[in-house]
């Protein structure tokens, strides 16, 4: 029993609050400032025994030009056309405005099923607004408080017969689930997991504002699903889109791609809303398996770009560097050489990671980007056998023995891989606290080269192995008790 419900209405009437309540998680950003939501966000909703897909939309504005508000309105109208049911939300405390009358007329023409909801209806202050909502001609309004969860039973009563009608007219479908941004399990997998529709490859696209992240994702999914434009900082929520991205070999890989808000320097972030947006993007990085750091070809490797790439590496994610707006670059060969030199110099911790040039506007370079993502994902899941590691460790020790700080010789006994995603290795040795960081880097760089893991975050831990006698310090047992313990007879002097 599945259908699609779009929540529409003026800005700041509580659409995102109701969306979060229906999906059971705080997926959408909520703030007192009007116009927080700009993109369409989908989620799997649950209301009693009803299961359906809910769409959070931008606030409707009386604008039809190519301004930001006009583009947001067109995106919302598209959601209305996609949805089976439109939930038209008004503010019961404010009452019915002229804009509500205009939008009610639009919904009456474009949607077959419109449910009128008077939100913020708790208390006596909303009585007049609820009665006024009858003037819209959309039937009896449902009194609702999205913030406090009041009125959901009435909403269920209205949606139930509509859901039954959709269940009879179409096969049962499972609504696509918007992912909660939290860490997932799976670090100890022995083989590279193959992405499926149930468990797609998680890819986050991050970068500074106006780098072209939303435009790039629209090119990947082949539809204008995300709001784009020349203005910097359009995206606020971390929006996830499900797609099957086919590479040059024609094999389609199920992916969930996260579009994140542009990340500026921390000192420049003053508004609470921008802090929430950046925090949402950081959670997307922690959840992702592969992070695409998108740079602007005109101003690549800015200080903030380096911080973002370093963040992805410290979080242990596979990293792909993509340089956008390559179509406007004139001296491509010279620029590419300069980019590679800057990459090796400024991001040594990601040495060997793929550097791909793309054009989000024209779509050129997307095949190479897909191949780079899949290769980075494969290396991120790489597992090396213990036998191979110990043979390799013997050769590394012969070529460059560990130092002997304070005259204490460091003996490295054996090595094994403890985890994948990212690859993590443990070396059992004496005096692990004495191993210098330079020798750790020597071993990590050797792992990258010899086991073909360039650019992959590698974790290396030194663990101590006790060589002390476990019986040292114990009291010696008397001979009689010792012989009795081993089954002999005590020597009592009778023989």
């Amino acid at each position: 029993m599945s259908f699609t419900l779009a929540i529409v209405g003026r800005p700041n009437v509580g659409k995102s609050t109701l969306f979060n309540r229906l999906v059971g998680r705080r997926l959408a950003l909520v703030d007192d400032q009007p116009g927080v939501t700009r993109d369409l966000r989908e989620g799997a909703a649950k209301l009693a025994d009803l299961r359906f897909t809910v769409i959070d939309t931008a606030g409707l504005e009386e604008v039809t030009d190519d301004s930001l508000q006009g583009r947001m309105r067109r995106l919302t109208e598209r959601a209305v056309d996609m949805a089976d049911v439109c939930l038209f939300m008004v503010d019961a405390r404010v009452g019915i405005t002229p804009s509500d009358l205009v939008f009610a007329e639009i919904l009456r023409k474009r949607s077959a099923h419109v449910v009128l909801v008077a939100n913020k209806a708790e208390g006596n202050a909303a009585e007049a607004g609820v009665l006024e909502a009858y003037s819209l001609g959309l039937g009896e309004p449902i009194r609702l408080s999205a913030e406090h969860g009041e009125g959901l039973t009435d909403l269920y009563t209205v949606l139930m017969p509509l859901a039954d009608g959709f269940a009879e007219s179409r096969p049962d479908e499972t609504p696509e689930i918007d992912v909660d941004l939290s860490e997932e399990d799976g670090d100890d997998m022995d083989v590279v997991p193959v992405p499926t529709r149930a468990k797609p490859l998680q890819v986050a696209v991050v970068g500074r504002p106006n780098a072209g992240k939303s435009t790039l994702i629209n090119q990947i999914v082949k539809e204008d699903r995300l709001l784009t434009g020349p203005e910097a900082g359009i995206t606020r929520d971390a929006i996830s889109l499900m797609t099957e991205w086919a590479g040059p070999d024609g094999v389609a890989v199920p992916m969930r791609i996260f579009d994140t808000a542009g990340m500026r320097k921390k000192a420049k972030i003053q508004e609470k809303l921008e802090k929430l947006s950046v925090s949402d993007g950081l959670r997307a990085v922690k959840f992702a398996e592969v992070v695409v750091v998108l740079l602007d070809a005109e101003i690549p490797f800015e200080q903030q770009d380096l911080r973002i790439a370093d963040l992805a590496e410290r979080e242990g994610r596979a990293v792909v560097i993509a340089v956008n707006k390559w179509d406007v670059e004139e001296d491509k060969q010279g620029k590419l050489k300069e980019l590679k030199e800057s990459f090796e110099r400024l991001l040594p911790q990601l040495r060997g990671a793929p550097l791909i040039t793309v054009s989000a506007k024209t779509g050129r370079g997307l095949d190479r980007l897909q191949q780079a993502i899949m290769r980075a994902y494969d290396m991120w899941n790489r597992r090396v056998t213990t036998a191979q590691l110990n043979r390799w460790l013997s050769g590394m020790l012969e070529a460059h023995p560990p130092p002997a700080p304070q005259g204490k010789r460091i003996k490295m006994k054996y090595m094994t891989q403890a985890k994948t995603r990212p690859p993590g290795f443990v070396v059992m040795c004496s005096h692990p606290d004495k191993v210098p960081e330079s020798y750790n880097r020597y071993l990590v760089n050797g792992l990258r080269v010899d086991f073909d893991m360039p650019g992959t975050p590698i974790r290396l831990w030194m663990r101590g192995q006790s060589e002390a006698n476990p019986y040292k310090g114990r009291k010696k047992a008397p001979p009689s008790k010792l012989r009795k313990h081993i089954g002999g007879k005590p020597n009592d002097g009778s023989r």
Side-chain angles (χ1 to χ4, degrees):
M1 185 186 302
S2 178
F3 60 95
T4 304
L5 175 73
I7 307 174
V8 297
R10 291 185 296 105
N12 210 30
V13 295
K15 298 182 296 297
S16 296
T17 304
L18 179 60
F19 174 87
N20 287 342
R21 184 165 290 279
L22 290 176
V23 299
R25 298 192 298 268
R26 297 188 62 178
L27 294 180
L29 295 182
V30 176
D31 193 70
D32 293 335
Q33 177 181 337
V36 172
T37 303
R38 290 176 174 175
D39 287 289
L40 303 182
R41 179 188 280 277
E42 298 183 12
K46 176 182 178 182
L47 185 60
D49 59 344
L50 288 182
R51 303 293 184 271
F52 55 94
T53 300
V54 62
I55 306 175
D56 186 22
T57 66
L60 286 166
E61 303 271 6
E62 290 189 79
V63 181
T64 56
D65 56 14
D66 288 331
S67 64
L68 178 59
Q69 288 75 18
R71 299 196 302 274
M72 290 164 60
R73 172 171 173 163
R74 285 196 292 272
L75 204 58
T76 299
E77 290 175 346
R78 180 181 177 185
V80 171
D81 296 335
M82 291 166 48
D84 299 312
V85 181
C86 283
L87 193 149
F88 183 40
M89 181 177 285
V90 297
D91 190 333
R93 294 181 178 271
V94 174
I96 302 304
T97 66
S99 297
D100 289 326
L101 295 172
V102 173
F103 299 141
E105 185 64 27
I106 293 174
L107 292 176
R108 194 179 289 110
K109 294 178 181 179
R110 302 187 72 145
S111 179
H113 304 282
V114 181
V115 176
L116 178 61
V117 169
N119 192 31
K120 307 180 185 179
E122 66 276 11
N124 296 327
E127 291 292 341
V130 174
L131 294 175
E132 195 178 353
Y134 281 92
S135 64
L136 295 174
L138 295 174
E140 181 180 358
I142 301 174
R143 295 179 63 116
L144 192 72
S145 174
E147 185 173 357
H148 299 99
E150 299 176 6
L152 293 180
T153 303
D154 297 332
L155 179 61
Y156 171 82
T157 304
V158 173
L159 292 179
M160 189 64 188
L162 296 176
D164 291 339
F166 293 125
E168 294 174 0
S169 61
R170 69 183 65 167
D172 189 21
E173 299 174 357
T174 303
E176 185 177 323
I177 298 176
D178 200 341
V179 178
D180 188 12
L181 298 180
S182 58
E183 290 293 338
E184 67 170 5
D185 296 329
D187 282 344
D188 298 323
M189 306 179 88
D190 291 334
V191 295
V192 178
V194 178
T196 62
R197 289 286 300 182
K199 289 189 175 182
L201 174 59
Q202 312 285 349
V203 180
V205 181
V206 298
R208 288 182 293 108
N210 214 26
K213 299 180 291 297
S214 299
T215 306
L216 176 67
I217 296 176
N218 281 343
Q219 277 286 356
I220 294 172
V221 301
K222 294 182 172 57
E223 59 176 319
D224 293 332
R225 180 64 175 73
L226 299 171
L227 192 63
T228 61
E231 303 90 348
I234 290 179
T235 303
R236 284 176 173 167
D237 292 82
I239 304 296
S240 68
L241 298 180
M242 184 68 193
T243 187
E244 292 193 0
W245 190 2
D249 53 1
V251 178
V253 180
M255 292 188 188
R256 186 179 294 278
I257 305 179
F258 288 89
D259 182 26
T260 61
M263 301 179 187
R264 297 195 300 163
K265 291 182 180 179
K266 190 174 182 179
K268 293 184 178 181
I269 300 176
Q270 302 295 334
E271 296 183 5
K272 172 189 173 184
L273 185 58
E274 187 174 359
K275 292 180 181 179
L276 292 174
S277 299
V278 172
S279 176
D280 209 25
L282 294 178
R283 283 197 298 273
V285 170
K286 293 178 181 179
F287 179 79
E289 295 167 313
V290 181
V291 174
V292 177
V293 181
L294 195 64
L295 311 181
D296 190 330
E298 297 180 0
I299 44 172
F301 294 110
E302 290 283 297
Q303 194 66 32
Q304 187 64 2
D305 294 326
L306 303 180
R307 289 195 182 99
I308 294 171
D310 183 63
L311 168 69
E313 193 276 336
R314 283 188 283 109
E315 289 294 337
R317 308 301 159 203
V319 179
V320 175
I321 306 295
V323 182
N324 190 25
K325 305 179 184 179
W326 197 246
D327 53 310
V328 298
E329 184 62 42
E330 296 180 357
D331 183 16
K332 290 182 170 54
Q333 294 297 327
K335 186 70 172 181
L336 184 59
K337 182 179 179 181
E338 179 184 339
L339 287 172
K340 290 181 177 179
E341 291 176 353
S342 300
F343 182 30
E344 293 181 2
R345 176 170 49 86
L346 298 173
L347 289 172
Q349 67 271 38
L350 291 173
R351 185 177 290 111
L355 176 67
I356 309 298
T357 56
V358 298
S359 172
K361 185 176 181 180
T362 64
R364 295 191 63 180
L366 292 188
D367 288 344
R368 289 183 286 111
L369 179 60
Q370 196 262 8
Q371 286 182 316
I373 290 174
M374 295 309 300
R375 175 166 168 74
Y377 177 70
D378 177 71
M379 290 187 293
W380 193 59
N381 287 277
R382 185 72 51 85
R383 181 170 287 279
V384 186
T385 65
T386 302
Q388 290 176 309
L389 285 172
N390 284 292
R391 285 194 296 268
W392 172 84
L393 181 62
S394 298
M396 296 294 284
L397 294 176
E398 290 180 5
H400 185 188
Q406 300 176 357
K408 295 181 179 180
R409 182 68 178 270
I410 298 175
K411 298 179 180 179
M412 296 193 173
K413 306 298 180 57
Y414 65 91
M415 182 178 185
T416 186
Q417 184 169 358
K419 63 186 287 292
T420 59
R421 305 164 65 90
F425 302 89
V426 175
V427 178
M428 302 302 293
C429 64
S430 61
H431 312 296
D433 55 325
K434 304 292 184 182
V435 179
E437 185 61 30
S438 59
Y439 201 80
N440 276 352
R441 288 197 300 270
Y442 163 71
L443 294 177
V444 168
N445 291 334
L447 287 168
R448 291 190 195 281
V449 174
D450 296 333
F451 294 106
D452 191 24
M453 292 187 287
T456 303
I458 293 178
R459 305 294 185 249
L460 183 65
W461 299 283
M462 298 292 173
R463 294 287 183 267
Q465 189 175 26
S466 176
E467 297 181 353
N469 185 350
Y471 298 100
K472 185 178 180 180
R474 290 191 180 184
K475 291 184 178 181
K476 190 174 181 181
S480 59
K481 292 185 178 180
L482 180 62
R483 293 191 60 181
K484 184 177 182 180
H485 176 71
I486 62 176
K489 296 181 179 180
N491 185 6
D492 55 3
S494 60
R495 286 184 294 172

